[in-house]
């Protein structure tokens, strides 16, 4: 009986599994957005997104506007609005931020962004100016 329950459990896990879709890296050059080590993205509302890069010399986030075709979801334009960064980041000898920003989440009710840092193992809260 135990074996039968275990097999039924495994079947439910298999039935509920989802297939993964690999998304290939895309160049943003046609929208005049240079390459970077982008590592996280979070919606800010509408077509605006907070994006972090783990190789930035500063500690903070980019704000991108990403427009999509409502009929098929295809990206029609990408615009970099700017970088919002901590004016006094902790940096190494070469001037690179020690945070190594990896993930980002937005809390719309407070208008703040949370960024996880691999280098310092912390999650810090930033206002919309990057402080």
């Amino acid at each position: 009986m135990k074996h039968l329950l275990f097999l039924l459990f495994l079947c439910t896990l298999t039935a509920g599994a989802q297939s993964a879709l690999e998304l290939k890296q895309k160049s943003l050059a046609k929208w005049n957005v240079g390459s970077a080590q982008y590592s996280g993205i979070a919606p800010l509302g509408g077509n605006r997104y907070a994006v972090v890069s783990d190789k930035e010399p500063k500690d903070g986030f980019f704000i991108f506007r990403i427009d999509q075709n409502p009929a098929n979801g295809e990206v029609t334009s990408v615009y970099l609005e700017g970088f919002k960064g901590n004016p006094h980041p902790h940096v190494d000898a070469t001037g690179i931020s020690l945070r190594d920003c990896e993930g980002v989440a937005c809390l719309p009710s407070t208008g703040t962004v949370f960024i996880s840092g691999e280098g310092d193992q912390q999650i810090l809260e930033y206002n919309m100016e990057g402080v």
Side-chain angles (χ1 to χ4, degrees):
M1 184 66 172
K2 285 183 183 179
H3 295 311
L4 178 59
L5 289 174
F6 181 70
L7 287 174
L8 287 172
F9 173 73
L10 287 178
C11 289
T12 59
L13 287 179
T14 305
Q18 298 179 6
S19 61
L21 173 65
E22 181 182 357
L23 300 175
K24 300 291 184 189
Q25 199 170 26
K26 300 281 185 179
S27 171
L28 301 176
K30 71 179 179 181
W31 293 300
N32 295 320
V33 176
S35 62
Q37 299 280 335
Y38 301 120
S39 57
I41 185 169
L44 295 174
N47 62 348
R48 295 177 75 227
Y49 296 84
V51 177
V52 294
S53 171
D54 63 356
K55 299 296 183 240
E56 276 306 301
K58 292 188 177 181
D59 168 20
F61 57 95
F62 295 93
I63 297 181
F64 278 91
R65 186 182 71 226
I66 303 173
D67 297 315
Q68 294 178 273
N69 179 325
N72 62 14
E74 180 180 336
V75 174
T76 57
S77 68
V78 177
Y79 176 74
L80 174 58
E81 290 185 6
F83 183 81
K84 303 297 182 175
N86 181 351
H88 307 290
H90 293 100
V91 296
D92 65 14
T94 64
I96 302 295
S97 172
L98 294 173
R99 292 241 40 231
D100 189 7
C101 298
E102 292 293 334
V104 60
C106 176
L107 186 59
S109 62
T110 62
T112 57
V113 172
F114 293 87
I115 300 175
S116 63
E118 184 178 19
D120 62 8
Q121 297 291 299
Q122 294 183 26
I123 298 172
L124 300 180
E125 182 177 15
Y126 299 74
N127 65 23
M128 291 308 293
E129 294 304 313
V131 179

